[in-house]
């Protein structure tokens, strides 16, 4: 295969993960609410949990509008506490807000 003739350039290499048509971070509140409602064991609790999940998901999608695709991941990095499972080796700790040098 000649490299000069192979001109395929992937367009969707860095896309966000999706569940159907929805981004993963927007779909997760609804999926979590469905799980919690199922654990509750009653239809009323299930409906209430799903309604809460849909409301949170809609508000999150409005906050994410006109921002970077990974806005939620960036927010989580800067504002949630760091644990050994979420610590990144190639980036500074999130509590270091000012880089000198």
């Amino acid at each position: 295969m000649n490299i000069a003739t192979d001109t395929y350039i992937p367009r969707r290499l860095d896309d966000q993960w999706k569940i159907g048509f929805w981004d993963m971070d927007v779909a997760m509140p609804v999926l979590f609410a469905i799980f919690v409602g199922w654990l509750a064991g009653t239809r009323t609790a299930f409906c209430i949990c799903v309604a809460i999940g849909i409301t949170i998901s809609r508000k999150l999608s409005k906050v994410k509008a006109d921002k970077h695709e990974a806005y939620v991941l960036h927010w989580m990095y800067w504002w949630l506490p760091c644990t050994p499972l979420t610590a990144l080796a190639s980036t500074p700790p999130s509590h270091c807000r000012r880089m000198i040098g």
Side-chain angles (χ1 to χ4, degrees):
M1 175 165 76
N2 188 356
I3 293 176
T5 60
D6 187 19
T7 59
Y8 175 73
I9 300 172
R11 294 183 183 190
R12 303 195 179 273
L13 190 59
D14 294 329
D15 275 356
Q16 290 287 323
W17 290 13
K18 296 201 179 276
I19 296 178
F21 295 113
W22 301 282
D23 290 338
M24 178 73 89
D25 52 357
V26 174
M28 286 310 291
V30 176
L31 295 175
F32 181 72
I34 288 172
F35 178 70
V36 170
W38 176 70
L39 286 178
T42 64
R43 289 183 188 168
T44 306
F46 181 78
C47 292
I48 291 170
C49 287
V50 170
I52 290 171
I54 290 172
T55 303
I56 291 171
S57 178
R58 288 182 53 93
K59 290 196 183 278
L60 181 62
S61 66
K62 287 180 183 179
V63 167
K64 259 182 61 169
D66 298 330
K67 291 187 173 61
H68 190 268
E69 291 86 12
Y71 172 75
V72 175
L73 292 175
H74 296 164
W75 184 89
M76 288 180 357
Y77 174 75
W78 286 110
W79 295 105
L80 293 181
C82 183
T83 64
L85 295 175
T86 61
L88 301 173
S90 62
T91 58
S94 63
H95 66 273
C96 295
R97 300 290 170 105
R98 197 168 164 192
M99 301 280 297
I100 299 173

PDB file of all heavy atoms in Angstrom, residues 35-50:
ATOM      1  N   PHE A  35     -32.162   3.070  37.778  1.00  0.00           N
ATOM      2  CA  PHE A  35     -31.645   2.030  38.668  1.00  0.00           C
ATOM      3  C   PHE A  35     -32.121   2.239  40.105  1.00  0.00           C
ATOM      4  O   PHE A  35     -32.579   1.299  40.760  1.00  0.00           O
ATOM      5  CB  PHE A  35     -30.114   2.002  38.591  1.00  0.00           C
ATOM      6  CG  PHE A  35     -29.486   0.998  39.500  1.00  0.00           C
ATOM      7  CD1 PHE A  35     -29.609  -0.355  39.256  1.00  0.00           C
ATOM      8  CD2 PHE A  35     -28.772   1.412  40.610  1.00  0.00           C
ATOM      9  CE1 PHE A  35     -29.038  -1.282  40.095  1.00  0.00           C
ATOM     10  CE2 PHE A  35     -28.196   0.490  41.459  1.00  0.00           C
ATOM     11  CZ  PHE A  35     -28.330  -0.864  41.198  1.00  0.00           C
ATOM     12  N   VAL A  36     -32.030   3.476  40.597  1.00  0.00           N
ATOM     13  CA  VAL A  36     -32.462   3.770  41.969  1.00  0.00           C
ATOM     14  C   VAL A  36     -33.970   3.560  42.114  1.00  0.00           C
ATOM     15  O   VAL A  36     -34.441   3.004  43.109  1.00  0.00           O
ATOM     16  CB  VAL A  36     -32.062   5.206  42.376  1.00  0.00           C
ATOM     17  CG1 VAL A  36     -32.703   5.613  43.690  1.00  0.00           C
ATOM     18  CG2 VAL A  36     -30.553   5.311  42.472  1.00  0.00           C
ATOM     19  N   GLY A  37     -34.734   3.972  41.109  1.00  0.00           N
ATOM     20  CA  GLY A  37     -36.176   3.756  41.146  1.00  0.00           C
ATOM     21  C   GLY A  37     -36.541   2.287  41.127  1.00  0.00           C
ATOM     22  O   GLY A  37     -37.485   1.852  41.793  1.00  0.00           O
ATOM     23  N   TRP A  38     -35.788   1.497  40.377  1.00  0.00           N
ATOM     24  CA  TRP A  38     -36.012   0.054  40.353  1.00  0.00           C
ATOM     25  C   TRP A  38     -35.694  -0.569  41.711  1.00  0.00           C
ATOM     26  O   TRP A  38     -36.401  -1.460  42.180  1.00  0.00           O
ATOM     27  CB  TRP A  38     -35.159  -0.561  39.257  1.00  0.00           C
ATOM     28  CG  TRP A  38     -35.230  -2.049  39.180  1.00  0.00           C
ATOM     29  CD1 TRP A  38     -36.287  -2.796  38.774  1.00  0.00           C
ATOM     30  CD2 TRP A  38     -34.204  -2.960  39.537  1.00  0.00           C
ATOM     31  NE1 TRP A  38     -35.969  -4.126  38.845  1.00  0.00           N
ATOM     32  CE2 TRP A  38     -34.693  -4.256  39.311  1.00  0.00           C
ATOM     33  CE3 TRP A  38     -32.908  -2.814  40.007  1.00  0.00           C
ATOM     34  CZ2 TRP A  38     -33.941  -5.381  39.558  1.00  0.00           C
ATOM     35  CZ3 TRP A  38     -32.159  -3.940  40.242  1.00  0.00           C
ATOM     36  CH2 TRP A  38     -32.678  -5.205  40.026  1.00  0.00           C
ATOM     37  N   LEU A  39     -34.629  -0.078  42.356  1.00  0.00           N
ATOM     38  CA  LEU A  39     -34.280  -0.582  43.692  1.00  0.00           C
ATOM     39  C   LEU A  39     -35.343  -0.219  44.729  1.00  0.00           C
ATOM     40  O   LEU A  39     -35.529  -0.956  45.698  1.00  0.00           O
ATOM     41  CB  LEU A  39     -32.931  -0.029  44.142  1.00  0.00           C
ATOM     42  CG  LEU A  39     -31.689  -0.619  43.489  1.00  0.00           C
ATOM     43  CD1 LEU A  39     -30.449   0.087  44.018  1.00  0.00           C
ATOM     44  CD2 LEU A  39     -31.594  -2.107  43.740  1.00  0.00           C
ATOM     45  N   ALA A  40     -36.016   0.912  44.534  1.00  0.00           N
ATOM     46  CA  ALA A  40     -37.032   1.338  45.498  1.00  0.00           C
ATOM     47  C   ALA A  40     -38.197   0.353  45.559  1.00  0.00           C
ATOM     48  O   ALA A  40     -38.781   0.147  46.614  1.00  0.00           O
ATOM     49  CB  ALA A  40     -37.535   2.731  45.146  1.00  0.00           C
ATOM     50  N   GLY A  41     -38.544  -0.249  44.437  1.00  0.00           N
ATOM     51  CA  GLY A  41     -39.528  -1.319  44.444  1.00  0.00           C
ATOM     52  C   GLY A  41     -40.973  -0.916  44.285  1.00  0.00           C
ATOM     53  O   GLY A  41     -41.832  -1.778  44.238  1.00  0.00           O
ATOM     54  N   THR A  42     -41.272   0.375  44.200  1.00  0.00           N
ATOM     55  CA  THR A  42     -42.657   0.788  43.983  1.00  0.00           C
ATOM     56  C   THR A  42     -42.744   1.606  42.702  1.00  0.00           C
ATOM     57  O   THR A  42     -41.764   2.236  42.294  1.00  0.00           O
ATOM     58  CB  THR A  42     -43.195   1.634  45.151  1.00  0.00           C
ATOM     59  OG1 THR A  42     -42.452   2.847  45.214  1.00  0.00           O
ATOM     60  CG2 THR A  42     -43.090   0.884  46.463  1.00  0.00           C
ATOM     61  N   ARG A  43     -43.917   1.601  42.102  1.00  0.00           N
ATOM     62  CA  ARG A  43     -44.094   2.349  40.851  1.00  0.00           C
ATOM     63  C   ARG A  43     -43.999   3.851  41.080  1.00  0.00           C
ATOM     64  O   ARG A  43     -43.452   4.581  40.258  1.00  0.00           O
ATOM     65  CB  ARG A  43     -45.436   2.021  40.234  1.00  0.00           C
ATOM     66  CG  ARG A  43     -45.495   0.649  39.669  1.00  0.00           C
ATOM     67  CD  ARG A  43     -46.819   0.402  39.002  1.00  0.00           C
ATOM     68  NE  ARG A  43     -46.907  -1.017  38.638  1.00  0.00           N
ATOM     69  CZ  ARG A  43     -47.984  -1.598  38.253  1.00  0.00           C
ATOM     70  NH1 ARG A  43     -49.119  -0.917  38.204  1.00  0.00           N
ATOM     71  NH2 ARG A  43     -47.987  -2.867  37.931  1.00  0.00           N
ATOM     72  N   THR A  44     -44.526   4.310  42.194  1.00  0.00           N
ATOM     73  CA  THR A  44     -44.483   5.742  42.495  1.00  0.00           C
ATOM     74  C   THR A  44     -43.043   6.220  42.653  1.00  0.00           C
ATOM     75  O   THR A  44     -42.658   7.243  42.078  1.00  0.00           O
ATOM     76  CB  THR A  44     -45.275   6.038  43.786  1.00  0.00           C
ATOM     77  OG1 THR A  44     -46.590   5.495  43.648  1.00  0.00           O
ATOM     78  CG2 THR A  44     -45.345   7.526  44.044  1.00  0.00           C
ATOM     79  N   ALA A  45     -42.240   5.494  43.420  1.00  0.00           N
ATOM     80  CA  ALA A  45     -40.840   5.865  43.614  1.00  0.00           C
ATOM     81  C   ALA A  45     -40.081   5.794  42.296  1.00  0.00           C
ATOM     82  O   ALA A  45     -39.233   6.648  42.008  1.00  0.00           O
ATOM     83  CB  ALA A  45     -40.185   4.953  44.643  1.00  0.00           C
ATOM     84  N   PHE A  46     -40.399   4.788  41.472  1.00  0.00           N
ATOM     85  CA  PHE A  46     -39.744   4.665  40.177  1.00  0.00           C
ATOM     86  C   PHE A  46     -40.051   5.880  39.304  1.00  0.00           C
ATOM     87  O   PHE A  46     -39.146   6.472  38.701  1.00  0.00           O
ATOM     88  CB  PHE A  46     -40.200   3.378  39.476  1.00  0.00           C
ATOM     89  CG  PHE A  46     -39.565   3.162  38.138  1.00  0.00           C
ATOM     90  CD1 PHE A  46     -38.271   2.691  38.047  1.00  0.00           C
ATOM     91  CD2 PHE A  46     -40.260   3.439  36.970  1.00  0.00           C
ATOM     92  CE1 PHE A  46     -37.678   2.493  36.820  1.00  0.00           C
ATOM     93  CE2 PHE A  46     -39.678   3.244  35.745  1.00  0.00           C
ATOM     94  CZ  PHE A  46     -38.377   2.762  35.660  1.00  0.00           C
ATOM     95  N   CYS A  47     -41.317   6.277  39.246  1.00  0.00           N
ATOM     96  CA  CYS A  47     -41.706   7.435  38.431  1.00  0.00           C
ATOM     97  C   CYS A  47     -41.066   8.722  38.952  1.00  0.00           C
ATOM     98  O   CYS A  47     -40.616   9.564  38.164  1.00  0.00           O
ATOM     99  CB  CYS A  47     -43.218   7.565  38.393  1.00  0.00           C
ATOM    100  SG  CYS A  47     -44.025   6.239  37.490  1.00  0.00           S
ATOM    101  N   ILE A  48     -41.015   8.876  40.262  1.00  0.00           N
ATOM    102  CA  ILE A  48     -40.403  10.070  40.845  1.00  0.00           C
ATOM    103  C   ILE A  48     -38.912  10.106  40.530  1.00  0.00           C
ATOM    104  O   ILE A  48     -38.372  11.147  40.132  1.00  0.00           O
ATOM    105  CB  ILE A  48     -40.656  10.130  42.366  1.00  0.00           C
ATOM    106  CG1 ILE A  48     -42.135  10.406  42.631  1.00  0.00           C
ATOM    107  CG2 ILE A  48     -39.787  11.184  43.036  1.00  0.00           C
ATOM    108  CD1 ILE A  48     -42.536  10.253  44.077  1.00  0.00           C
ATOM    109  N   CYS A  49     -38.229   8.980  40.681  1.00  0.00           N
ATOM    110  CA  CYS A  49     -36.788   8.925  40.395  1.00  0.00           C
ATOM    111  C   CYS A  49     -36.505   9.204  38.925  1.00  0.00           C
ATOM    112  O   CYS A  49     -35.558   9.928  38.601  1.00  0.00           O
ATOM    113  CB  CYS A  49     -36.223   7.567  40.792  1.00  0.00           C
ATOM    114  SG  CYS A  49     -36.097   7.331  42.562  1.00  0.00           S
ATOM    115  N   VAL A  50     -37.295   8.647  38.029  1.00  0.00           N
ATOM    116  CA  VAL A  50     -37.090   8.890  36.600  1.00  0.00           C
ATOM    117  C   VAL A  50     -37.336  10.362  36.274  1.00  0.00           C
ATOM    118  O   VAL A  50     -36.589  10.969  35.498  1.00  0.00           O
ATOM    119  CB  VAL A  50     -37.981   7.957  35.752  1.00  0.00           C
ATOM    120  CG1 VAL A  50     -37.972   8.361  34.298  1.00  0.00           C
ATOM    121  CG2 VAL A  50     -37.521   6.523  35.897  1.00  0.00           C
TER     122      VAL A  50
END
